[in-house]
Amino acid sequence: MGTALDIKIKRANKVYHCGEVLTGVVVITSKDSIQHQGISLTMEGSVNMQLSAKSVGMFEAFYNSVKPIQIINSTVEMIKPGKLPSGKTEIPFEFPLQVKGNKILYETYHGVFVNIQYTLRCDMRRSLLAKDLTKTCEFIVHSPRALLPKFLIRGHLNSTNCIITQPLTGELVVVNSDAAVKSIELQLVRVETCGCAEGYARDATEIQNIQIADGDVCRNLPIPIYMVFPRLFTCPTLETTNFKVEFEVNIVVLLHDDHLITENFPLKLCRL
């Protein structure tokens, strides 16, 4: 049997939060005594991104080579160069999960184009005649978010079936909100879908943004909704076998603590 290196994290689910301390042991098992040049433990956290094949052409120079964002990279020396006895040796560790400066500890996420991962890596350096040993172990980070303040907002659109030459109308009422209101906006969004049986590409573009309220509005005061459809950027809703042109409106309420409340309404535009 050769030399085996392992990392055992104390928590079975391996879930940690910012500010907590990772604890566990590094286990080294060997039939004979081991001469080494030092054992170190490294905590790493990074965001790895990859552009989709759909982006080729627009971002050819960056395709498949987006630079990773480093969140954590910290190393501690566990044992100085020396000799370990035969059998099993357990080296306990405590590693604080903290970030430096204004970096954010994003939650662990494994996606297709975005990957957020945190690992512990143990390295045992050995002499030139013996191969260095490395063991990596992933742990999970959960990042709780601040709770959304309580609020109640009512309103209506007079119609979501709209004549393109007439304005979109309605009203909005802030009944109550624990946090002060900063701004209320209407966003007109165009949604274009192109493709065929082999696949579809869907792109949403904001084409107009109108602020209908500024500051902490009076409670229970009706705020009129009034938006004229821009002539050059809208057309009647269109749906064919190979492409679609659709429209949506978002009502966006921004609170003073930077919480964002949005509600989406699909629109159908026609011309008389």
Side-chain angles (χ1 to χ4, degrees):
M1 183 183 77
T3 304
L5 187 63
D6 197 14
I7 302 172
K8 292 185 178 179
I9 295 176
K10 188 173 182 180
R11 286 187 189 170
N13 63 4
K14 299 182 181 179
V15 174
Y16 289 84
H17 300 85
C18 184
E20 292 186 327
V21 178
L22 263 80
T23 57
V25 292
V26 169
V27 182
I28 301 153
T29 310
S30 179
K31 183 180 178 183
D32 304 310
S33 59
I34 313 161
Q35 193 77 31
H36 64 88
Q37 303 301 312
I39 300 173
S40 62
L41 190 65
T42 301
M43 178 186 286
E44 293 179 322
S46 63
V47 182
N48 292 284
M49 296 166 287
Q50 177 178 304
L51 295 180
S52 68
K54 185 179 155 186
S55 303
V56 177
M58 291 167 55
F59 301 102
E60 278 188 41
F62 304 105
Y63 176 62
N64 222 16
S65 60
V66 181
K67 189 177 180 182
I69 299 170
Q70 192 177 84
I71 304 171
I72 299 176
N73 192 323
S74 182
T75 301
V76 293
E77 191 77 16
M78 300 187 75
I79 296 183
K80 294 183 181 297
K83 196 173 187 179
L84 293 175
S86 59
K88 181 189 285 188
T89 301
E90 293 190 352
I91 310 167
F93 64 83
E94 291 187 350
F95 219 136
L97 184 56
Q98 293 175 336
V99 288
K100 295 178 181 178
N102 59 354
K103 290 188 177 179
I104 299 172
L105 204 65
Y106 303 115
E107 185 160 315
T108 297
Y109 171 74
H110 295 286
V112 178
F113 304 116
V114 177
N115 197 61
I116 305 171
Q117 188 173 30
Y118 298 87
T119 58
L120 283 177
R121 190 186 75 244
C122 183
D123 294 298
M124 178 192 283
R125 297 180 299 279
R126 303 168 79 182
S127 65
L128 294 174
L129 298 177
K131 189 178 178 182
D132 292 351
L133 293 179
T134 298
K135 177 69 177 181
T136 301
C137 174
E138 182 178 7
F139 63 93
I140 310 299
V141 170
H142 283 178
S143 54
R145 299 294 179 188
L147 294 176
L148 189 67
K150 289 183 179 179
F151 66 91
L152 176 59
I153 299 172
R154 291 197 176 106
H156 67 271
L157 296 173
N158 289 330
S159 178
T160 55
N161 292 319
C162 306
I163 299 171
I164 200 168
T165 54
Q166 296 179 8
L168 174 73
T169 58
E171 70 173 30
L172 189 73
V173 178
V174 179
V175 179
N176 58 60
S177 176
D178 288 354
V181 176
K182 195 172 183 180
S183 176
I184 302 177
E185 299 171 354
L186 294 177
Q187 294 177 343
L188 182 61
V189 176
R190 176 180 57 207
V191 182
E192 298 169 303
T193 306
C194 303
C196 53
E198 284 74 29
Y200 287 85
R202 185 181 187 273
D203 286 294
T205 311
E206 181 186 305
I207 55 175
Q208 183 167 264
N209 190 307
I210 297 175
Q211 186 178 33
I212 61 172
D214 183 27
D216 197 18
V217 298
C218 295
R219 305 303 185 253
N220 295 302
L221 176 70
I223 301 167
I225 292 172
Y226 189 94
M227 176 185 277
V228 175
F229 295 108
R231 203 170 86 181
L232 296 177
F233 300 103
T234 53
C235 67
T237 300
L238 186 59
E239 184 172 350
T240 72
T241 306
N242 297 320
F243 68 92
K244 291 190 289 185
V245 181
E246 300 168 295
F247 297 90
E248 301 171 349
V249 67
N250 294 322
I251 295 178
V252 181
V253 180
L254 179 62
L255 304 180
H256 263 286
D257 52 8
D258 289 333
H259 277 110
L260 203 64
I261 305 161
T262 64
E263 190 70 31
N264 176 269
F265 300 92
L267 301 177
K268 186 170 183 179
L269 305 188
C270 63
R271 188 184 300 278
L272 292 182

